[in-house]
Amino acid sequence: MMLVDAARMAGALLAIASGLVVSASSVVAQGIDRVAHIGLLCLSRCDTPAFDALRGGLRSSGWIEGRNLKIEFRAADGHIDRLPDLAQELVNLKPELIMAFNPQATRAAKDATATIPIVFLAVADPVGIGLVDSLARPGGNVTGLATLVPGGLMGKGLELLAQMVPKASRIAVLLNPSNEVSNRLFSLDAQPAARQLGLELHVFRVRAPEDIGPAIDAASQAKVHALWAPGDPIFHNPVQRIPELAARAGLPAMYLTREFVQAGGLMSYGPDLLDLNRRAASYVDKILRGAKPSDLPVEQPTRFHLVINLKTARALKIQVPQSLLVRADEVIE
């Protein structure tokens, strides 16, 4: 008898749990009785942790891919010259909005349409490069979340690298000439900080993923002491490329995002990009429900993370200062 009652109770609990799941799904999707059509434009790849975070944010807002949301993906595999045609392809499909990952993709989308709303992600200093009129009043058809604005983030990254490797005075910098943001902030933030820290910066230009290897080889031949990759989509194609090449060259390296440190890089300092991408879903949701991009202020990051890979530090024979370990948001063993 007790076994029967236990079985009945278990069945009842399972039914309740199933009902809660169905109810939660209904609540999430309430108010959405149509299929929205949007585009996603990426310089490198679209299938990244950043997009997974965005997809999660969209689901929380009730937009579920394959149910009430259709996404058209276009990725240039790191080749900027392909972006204008890919952007035009998306515009010709007449989506309700276009999401653009990084400055180059956002520029291509903006050049392709002045009417379809554009939500950008992974763009720093959107005002400085002319994508929006101001953070508070973007104007036009473009808005989104800025990864940073001028004011010292690049300089802070250099300072942390100098603390990690005090004897490093010659720093190789990887810069993509097509990245308006990195080049602008390099001049505004990095160069003054380098002078103050007594660092000598050597710039190596990379225009496509296949340029990265030769650039790091050239940096090694130039007898630099460390490597700095301020951030660019082509650096993620694939994400382990630079950490592996830097390790082979014996160069300690600083990155903008934690993915590189997870892939074996020494350290990173930058905004929480996954959090920014989750938050970007609210912009998509609002626009799909009728809001205008010009009425949605550009948000800025509120959290910056320092991540250190101790295994890589040991391989490079670097003794990580206690001051950095104490302030690190994440330490990878």
Side-chain angles (χ1 to χ4, degrees):
M1 185 69 178
M2 291 179 64
L3 290 175
V4 173
D5 289 343
R8 287 175 177 172
M9 182 175 293
L13 290 173
L14 180 60
I16 292 172
S18 300
L20 288 174
V21 171
V22 173
S23 176
S25 177
S26 299
V27 169
V28 166
Q30 71 178 13
I32 303 176
D33 57 357
R34 65 184 183 85
V35 177
H37 185 201
I38 65 179
L40 181 63
L41 183 63
C42 313
L43 171 56
S44 187
R45 297 164 40 235
C46 294
D47 56 334
T48 64
F51 176 67
D52 291 339
L54 174 65
R55 180 188 278 126
L58 289 170
R59 288 182 65 90
S60 296
S61 298
W63 298 102
I64 302 172
E65 197 177 354
R67 182 185 300 179
N68 56 14
L69 180 66
K70 179 181 179 182
I71 304 179
E72 298 284 353
F73 299 89
R74 295 294 185 277
D77 296 322
H79 297 279
I80 189 172
D81 57 308
R82 296 182 56 196
L83 283 173
D85 289 341
L86 294 175
Q88 191 59 55
E89 282 183 25
L90 285 178
V91 169
N92 292 343
L93 294 173
K94 297 182 169 38
E96 294 176 54
L97 68 83
I98 294 173
M99 293 179 291
F101 274 99
N102 59 65
Q104 298 97 321
T106 305
R107 175 69 66 192
K110 184 177 181 180
D111 289 346
T113 178
T115 55
I116 297 174
I118 298 168
V119 175
F120 61 72
L121 308 96
V123 173
D125 194 18
V127 177
I129 62 174
L131 290 176
V132 296
D133 295 338
S134 71
L135 298 180
R137 298 181 179 279
N141 62 321
V142 181
T143 189
L145 288 94
T147 52
L148 57 97
V149 293
L153 180 66
M154 275 193 165
K156 190 63 179 178
L158 274 178
E159 180 185 339
L160 292 169
L161 179 58
Q163 290 177 31
M164 178 68 82
V165 194
K167 294 182 180 180
S169 60
R170 294 166 55 83
I171 311 295
V173 186
L174 300 183
L175 284 181
N176 184 347
S178 74
N179 191 322
E180 301 171 86
V181 173
S182 292
N183 286 275
R184 173 179 164 78
L185 295 184
F186 179 75
S187 298
L188 289 176
D189 292 349
Q191 290 179 321
R195 286 193 292 268
Q196 187 173 0
L197 293 166
L199 301 177
E200 190 178 309
L201 301 182
H202 296 258
V203 176
F204 295 86
R205 307 287 180 182
V206 289
R207 293 173 171 79
E210 53 266 30
D211 296 335
I212 293 173
I216 293 179
D217 287 342
S220 182
Q221 292 169 11
K223 306 298 182 184
V224 299
H225 306 127
L227 178 69
W228 182 37
D232 190 275
I234 66 172
F235 296 166
H236 294 257
N237 192 19
V239 71
Q240 67 269 23
R241 185 196 305 264
I242 299 180
E244 288 178 355
L245 292 171
R248 192 179 307 163
L251 291 173
M254 163 67 86
Y255 305 90
L256 181 67
T257 62
R258 68 190 293 271
E259 287 82 6
F260 292 99
V261 186
Q262 290 177 311
L266 176 61
M267 62 192 301
S268 67
Y269 181 73
D272 185 342
L273 294 183
L274 297 185
D275 176 63
L276 288 175
N277 281 281
R278 279 189 291 268
R279 286 162 53 193
S282 67
Y283 282 69
V284 175
D285 177 56
K286 290 173 183 176
I287 291 172
L288 290 179
R289 295 179 189 270
K292 296 179 180 179
S294 57
D295 295 333
L296 300 176
V298 175
E299 289 188 27
Q300 301 176 59
T302 56
R303 294 188 293 179
F304 296 87
H305 289 172
L306 171 62
V307 184
I308 297 172
N309 190 317
L310 286 183
K311 181 179 179 181
T312 301
R314 287 192 292 268
L316 292 168
K317 296 181 171 54
I318 292 174
Q319 182 65 43
V320 181
Q322 187 63 28
S323 58
L324 288 181
L325 288 175
V326 168
R327 67 169 297 179
D329 298 279
E330 182 180 356
V331 176
I332 298 174
E333 296 287 349

